[in-house]
Amino acid sequence: MKFNAIDTPRLDWSGDALAIGLFEEQVELTGDLAELDQKLGGTLAEVIAENEFKGKEGSSVAARVGGGSAIRKIIAIGLGKQDSLKLDGIRLAAGAAAKTAKSQKCKTLGISLPVFGDAGTTAQAIAEGVELALHKDSRFKSESEKSKESNGEIEQVDLLGFAGQDAAIALGQQIVEGVKLARELVNAPANTCTPVTMAETAQAIASEYGLEIEILEQADCEKLGMGAFLGVALASDLPPKFVHITYKPEGTPRRKLAIVGKGLTFDSGGLNIKVQGGIETMKMDMGGAAATFGAAKAIGLIKPDVEVHFISAITENMISGHAMHPGDILTASNGKTIEVNNTDAEGRLTLADALVFADKLGVDAIVDLATLTGACVVALGDDIAGLWSPDDAVANQLLAAGEKGGEKYWRMPLEDKYFEGLKALHADMKNTGPRAGGSITAALFLKQFVDKTPWAHLDIAGPVWTDKDKGYNPAGATGFAVRTLVNWVLG
């Protein structure tokens, strides 16, 4: 699919479908839109009236234009209230335009949307919205089903009024390449996405984009004392992989950052086995690692002036005669001991050793991200991720990066007295505390494995997946947090 940034007026554009954004309760056609409607034989006014289109956010209508017109289809996209418009509203509108045009079997699409902030930021958001909405992961379907879904592909998208914004469009496309990778990793079932194949994916990213990579095998992890990570890996027949990708810019980096993603390619719960209704979707428990690798791909394409370390301790949490038991005591690589009172709280154990590793790199800040707790989903729902940090600067950077990327976060409290619930009789701490405040105690647990580096924790358990199409996210994995991470690095 090719993007063109052009200055052609709406009146003069020609192609299969022209999509126009209209604000809520501002659908009366005036000025050049009235002229365009006249040129189209009144089709735009007619489709607005017939469908009682009000311009509400997420709404769209389309109509075929009569013969002889330079435009085959006209599409109206609702932008919502003008004073409530956000950058993600532009992204959503572009995605709606793309999906509508594809459903109408259009090959060329012209998009006319208002500028939000500045032209470059808007053009980038439009490109992201189109690419995200049209991405379809059909790898595991039969060839006949794949061919059905590939019908009506859009070949060209023109951004009207955005001439000169080619670099911004390219940046949006580069970021979306990372989102696509994250989606596909999370969508893949656990019999194809394993610790071994995840390490191979990391190696492929490093090779293609000239990044440094270090993959620690089990023996290497043992030498580093990663008892928490390796405790989780005990029951799996597949070897654990500790992945460390490094992007280094030419010259002196402006700053150095580390991103640590939880990488459980399948989580059975261990001996505290999950029940039906929860275990079926546990292929997605590596959503943090997927976003980390997606960000690595995007950063490899963009090549900013920031050094970035991408880290994931990857394994399965399985059941066998070798499995860790409830009550076992593990020793993490910083010497702290952990009593395992729930084998299904395994992600924080793998993150513990990964955070100790990242903390020793001498970076300016660390962010970890994980599908960590159901408690966070209970608190914030499916659309919003939790953010914990003792550092206001890092927290505010991530909130701003998420706002720009259209990904929602809510800063949660790190209530130190809640750590009392994690204290153990025979070890330094337990891996879970009381049910109340479960996502907070999970964050407090992770905090024990970062010494001096500014740090933030993102619990992305809710928004990493959607059961049905939602905006520019098709059903399945959303690739959540990739845009936030890339924006954070670039900020």
Side-chain angles (χ1 to χ4, degrees), residues 462-485:
V464 78
W465 184 271
T466 178
D467 288 328
K468 58 183 180 181
D469 288 1
K470 186 184 295 184
Y472 44 70
N473 287 318
T478 62
F480 187 87
V482 172
R483 299 196 299 279
T484 298
L485 295 173

Side-chain angles (χ1 to χ4, degrees), residues 40 43 64-72:
L40 300 179
T43 303
R64 182 176 182 82
V65 182
S69 172
I71 298 170
R72 197 160 59 85

Side-chain angles (χ1 to χ4, degrees), residues 400-436:
E403 177 73 20
K404 184 176 182 181
E407 296 176 322
K408 296 178 182 178
Y409 300 85
W410 189 261
R411 190 174 181 185
M412 301 282 277
L414 271 172
E415 186 66 31
D416 285 330
K417 73 174 183 179
Y418 284 15
F419 188 74
E420 290 292 321
L422 289 172
K423 289 186 176 179
L425 181 61
H426 298 297
D428 295 339
M429 68 194 88
K430 298 180 290 188
N431 69 327
T432 65
R435 183 178 182 188

Side-chain angles (χ1 to χ4, degrees), residues 366-428:
I366 300 168
V367 60
D368 79 71
L369 64 158
T371 49
L372 203 63
T373 67
C376 191
V377 183
V378 171
L380 299 177
D382 293 330
D383 293 338
I384 304 170
L387 186 160
W388 287 259
S389 180
D391 189 288
D392 289 343
V394 174
N396 290 333
Q397 289 167 15
L398 288 164
L399 289 170
E403 177 73 20
K404 184 176 182 181
E407 296 176 322
K408 296 178 182 178
Y409 300 85
W410 189 261
R411 190 174 181 185
M412 301 282 277
L414 271 172
E415 186 66 31
D416 285 330
K417 73 174 183 179
Y418 284 15
F419 188 74
E420 290 292 321
L422 289 172
K423 289 186 176 179
L425 181 61
H426 298 297
D428 295 339

